[in-house]
Amino acid sequence: MRRLSSFIGLFVMGLSIMTVTTLNKSASANSPKRVSSSYMEKLSKKMQYYRLNQNIRPASSNLSKKTAVPKGTILNLDYTIDSGSHQKEGKALISDLVEMSYVFKKKLGFKPAYRSAYLLFSYYPHLFTRVKRPAYVLPYSDNVLYFGGLSALKREADSNFAHPKSTSKALRITSDGYLELYVRGRKPLSDPIFNWQYAQKPSAYVKIAHAINKGSKKYLYYQKELPEVRATRLYHGKYRYRLRINNLHTPYRYTSNQGANTYASFYSVGGSRYFTVPWGDGGDGD
């Protein structure tokens, strides 16, 4: 479970997920390099999604109270062996990279609800159903879309951990089907290797009512306007807004001034440029 980026001799307290590390001895000011879509697909972690078949109380979590997660909830979970599981062999499902919505975490009792959710379930197959990736989520990343193009990617990757120059805003698609808008406040949205910081609650959000995938394009339908996101207003049918997310299929690798290799996929979201940084399943990413 490793980010498709690399760094030299850097350790950051509080990071819960280890990033890919490689050494680039010739690193200096560098131009982004195109990589193939098949290369990105090969390296990127394939997210797994499960639907809960009944109300289930986690074996371990950072919930403020012992609360059951409702039946029918779709979560991005990873299979593991963990001593916290009540299953006799330690089989467990643990929350992975695609977050639940702020609305859902607040309802469950996470405090504060904008922090990353940690859930560990004892794995009994009859309690969970493995489902296909929901139509509304992205294929490989943690589903955070950062505003900007190559220049925004370079600016943040070349910054330092003490003063990261994160993008001005970001969109996040959650496992339970919300589209959240984050506008940068006093604290950055992410660090130079694009670990999301969860420093604030979303500026606005909408519940995704329907999603359609057509080739490289994803269409999200919802009922109320999302500020700062240009969606098509619909005047007929069940839904009021349609947002087009177009995968440009132009992935890049950028080597920062510190020698960190960061991989990014670029999207057009409502006509504006965004990028996402996938996570790796293993290997160095080079």
Side-chain angles (χ1 to χ4, degrees), residues 5-8 10 22 24 27 157 192-193 254-262:
S5 59
S6 56
F7 56 95
I8 303 173
L10 293 176
T22 60
N24 189 327
I193 53 173
Y254 175 65
T255 303
S256 72
N257 294 335
Q258 292 79 31
N261 286 334
T262 298

Side-chain angles (χ1 to χ4, degrees), residues 37 138-140 215-218 245-251 265-268:
S37 296
L138 303 177
Y140 305 120
S216 63
K217 297 178 178 63
K218 182 186 300 292
I245 300 177
N246 185 15
N247 187 342
L248 301 177
H249 291 297
T250 54
S265 295
F266 290 83
Y267 290 79
S268 173

Side-chain angles (χ1 to χ4, degrees), residues 132-202:
K132 292 182 179 180
R133 183 179 73 241
Y136 47 79
V137 300
L138 303 177
Y140 305 120
S141 75
D142 55 1
N143 277 254
V144 176
L145 288 155
Y146 297 96
F147 179 69
L150 281 170
S151 59
L153 170 69
K154 291 168 61 177
R155 182 174 61 252
E156 181 161 359
D158 283 335
S159 64
N160 59 61
F161 282 91
H163 302 287
K165 298 178 180 178
S166 73
T167 57
S168 61
K169 61 184 177 181
L171 294 169
R172 184 171 68 179
I173 303 171
T174 70
S175 66
D176 56 315
Y178 277 79
L179 178 61
E180 299 177 334
L181 168 69
Y182 292 83
V183 178
R184 176 173 178 168
R186 290 183 305 235
K187 296 182 179 180
L189 299 175
S190 60
D191 64 25
I193 53 173
F194 299 94
N195 289 296
W196 185 249
Q197 298 296 293
Y198 298 100
Q200 62 188 67
K201 66 181 182 180

